[in-house]
Amino acid sequence: MFPVGAGVTVTELTTDPHPVLARLRASEPVSWLPALNGWLVTRHDLALQVMRDSTAFTVADPRFSTARVVGPSMLSLDDDEHARHRAPFSRQFRPREIEERFDAFVRAECERLVSRILPAGQAELRRDLAGPLAAAVMAEALGLADTDATQVLTWYDAIVSTVGNISAGLPPDPAGTQAFGELRTHIEGSVAEASPSLLTDAAKALALPEVVSNAAVLMFGGIETTEGMIVNAVLHLLSDPAQLAAVDRDRSLVASAVEESLRLEPAAAVVDRYATRDVELDGVPIHRGDLVTVSLTAANRDPAVFADPDTFDVRRPNLRKQLAFAHGPHFCLGADLARLEARIAVETLLDRLTGLRLAAPAVPTGLVFRKPASIHVRWEEISQPL
């Protein structure tokens, strides 16, 4: 009944998913994939339908991958419990306040990180800029005391790997559990200090384990996906001389370049839901308890919504229809902060590093989280005085 889905492999979805996602979207937009032991939704309108309807498609299931690593949180709860967990954090991420609160901090961090690499004439931007920036911003946002960015990134490498293994049907990596345990201890220590912060405010409304789980998923999204969206945006720009030239001529296009990069390659490729009852989606019968995975990657390249969808176009007119931050009740809480970080990071790189270019090929990979493993770049070195 689903011949395309039957042949899809985890390797395809991890390495180069776009050709097979296009075939699925055209002929089987709701398809059963034995490789995932679940349904994959690839059309934009159907993706919206699933993400908006938390009564038929829920995250509140013990199989939910992130909850299996960090425990129940706003990411893995619906309805009243979702609202209870999300509310203590959401007021700090109101769109109108993001720029006022974080602009100066993000600019200072970007300047510091770029100044550190500037004399060398080359760098690996994932770990020299994107990761440390995202970790520093999330530590600032949450009020985590004495947070070392390198240690946080080590924890998150392990946690991300474990979530990816679970999504691929593999056994969880014990390193992820150990990493979360160390992160939990760090968060609990910050709360115990009782200094004014988002965490101590949240502890007034939530039990400590709930604060920890929610802080972990905020850091999880704020670090992993923000790091990915920064390096993906840089990769897309440096891979397309015409688009890079357009942005060089007009810096106001940087925000659109980031948004178009999110559309073309979302840093979070999929979101999982579970059917709460027997339901039909686009005429396909789905049974209660079935895994329903929405491919944000596929929805963002739906030609019914985006003309010439495989092309990187910083002047694309309808970019706000892209779904990289999901949709519905679980729309990403930190979307505007992530956008701010990515925009300022790209601006700083282009402003400070003359002749910025790729030093080696780079390709996004990943089943759940997609970005290049590394992105090596070069620029014109500064002449040293004699």
Side-chain angles (χ1 to χ4, degrees):
M1 186 175 178
F2 302 101
V4 179
V8 175
T9 66
V10 168
T11 299
E12 276 182 297
L13 295 174
T14 301
T15 54
D16 183 16
H18 303 295
V20 72
L21 291 176
R23 295 198 299 273
L24 286 166
R25 191 176 50 236
S27 60
E28 299 172 17
V30 181
S31 182
W32 179 261
L33 270 62
L36 299 180
N37 194 30
W39 300 95
L40 189 67
V41 178
T42 50
R43 217 169 66 197
H44 190 278
D45 61 327
L46 299 175
L48 285 175
Q49 184 176 336
V50 171
M51 290 188 288
R52 285 171 172 165
D53 189 357
S54 61
T55 61
F57 303 101
T58 187
V59 297
D61 187 282
R63 293 168 290 174
F64 194 81
S65 57
T66 306
R68 290 173 61 182
V69 181
V70 305
S73 71
M74 67 179 86
L75 190 65
S76 57
L77 297 166
D78 272 320
D79 303 324
D80 291 345
E81 277 297 279
H82 170 255
R84 184 175 70 84
H85 280 245
R86 185 170 170 125
F89 296 92
S90 61
R91 62 179 177 272
Q92 297 291 334
F93 293 94
R94 295 186 182 110
R96 64 181 179 273
E97 298 173 5
I98 289 295
E99 189 155 352
E100 179 180 339
R101 183 179 172 200
F102 291 104
D103 185 278
F105 180 86
V106 173
R107 288 187 186 280
E109 277 298 297
C110 284
E111 288 291 336
R112 181 183 69 82
L113 292 165
V114 171
S115 294
R116 190 169 64 183
I117 63 174
L118 179 61
Q122 60 183 348
E124 193 286 288
L125 290 183
R126 182 184 164 202
R127 281 304 189 241
D128 287 341
L129 174 69
L133 173 65
V137 171
M138 285 313 301
E140 174 72 10
L142 293 174
L144 280 171
D146 302 320
T147 301
D148 177 71
T150 301
Q151 181 60 69
V152 171
L153 292 171
T154 299
W155 290 332
Y156 270 85
D157 281 342
I159 293 172
V160 167
S161 176
T162 300
V163 171
N165 283 354
I166 292 170
S167 297
L170 301 174
D173 185 345
T177 302
Q178 179 180 340
F180 175 63
E182 294 175 12
L183 175 63
R184 179 179 60 236
T185 299
H186 186 67
I187 293 171
E188 289 174 344
S190 292
V191 173
E193 288 187 2
S195 300
S197 71
L198 179 55
L199 293 179
T200 53
D201 284 350
K204 298 171 185 176
L206 301 173
L208 183 56
E210 296 172 337
V211 174
V212 170
S213 293
N214 284 288
V217 299
L218 283 172
M219 294 183 73
F220 187 75
I223 295 171
E224 172 61 27
T225 57
T226 303
E227 178 192 71
M229 67 185 281
I230 292 171
V231 295
N232 286 344
V234 172
L235 177 59
H236 286 134
L237 275 171
L238 298 188
S239 300
D240 194 320
Q243 299 297 300
L244 178 60
V247 172
D248 266 335
R249 289 191 301 269
D250 181 1
R251 284 291 192 270
S252 69
L253 290 173
V254 170
S256 295
V258 169
E259 209 72 14
E260 172 69 339
S261 176
L262 281 166
R263 184 198 66 80
L264 200 63
E265 195 73 82
V270 296
V271 294
D272 288 347
R273 300 291 186 266
Y274 296 87
T276 61
R277 60 177 185 265
D278 290 352
V279 63
E280 281 198 0
L281 184 64
D282 197 41
V284 175
I286 294 172
H287 297 299
R288 178 183 178 184
D290 282 356
L291 168 65
V292 180
T293 295
V294 173
S295 174
L296 303 176
T297 300
N300 272 359
R301 296 198 186 201
D302 190 336
V305 179
F306 303 104
D308 198 9
D310 297 323
T311 298
F312 180 63
D313 179 5
V314 299
R315 291 189 172 90
R316 190 176 293 277
N318 60 342
L319 281 173
R320 284 293 174 162
K321 291 186 177 181
Q322 65 86 8
L323 301 177
F325 292 112
H327 199 79
H330 290 278
F331 181 79
C332 176
L333 187 64
D336 289 287
L337 179 56
R339 285 179 167 122
L340 179 74
E341 291 176 65
R343 176 175 58 81
I344 293 175
V346 172
E347 288 173 350
T348 305
L349 288 168
L350 295 180
D351 288 345
R352 297 289 308 278
L353 305 182
T354 303
L356 184 64
R357 61 196 182 275
L358 292 174
V363 179
T365 60
L367 177 65
V368 180
F369 305 104
R370 292 187 59 77
K371 60 180 178 291
S374 60
I375 178 166
H376 293 273
V377 297
R378 294 183 183 275
W379 55 91
E380 304 304 325
E381 295 183 44
I382 298 174
S383 298
Q384 297 296 324
L386 297 177

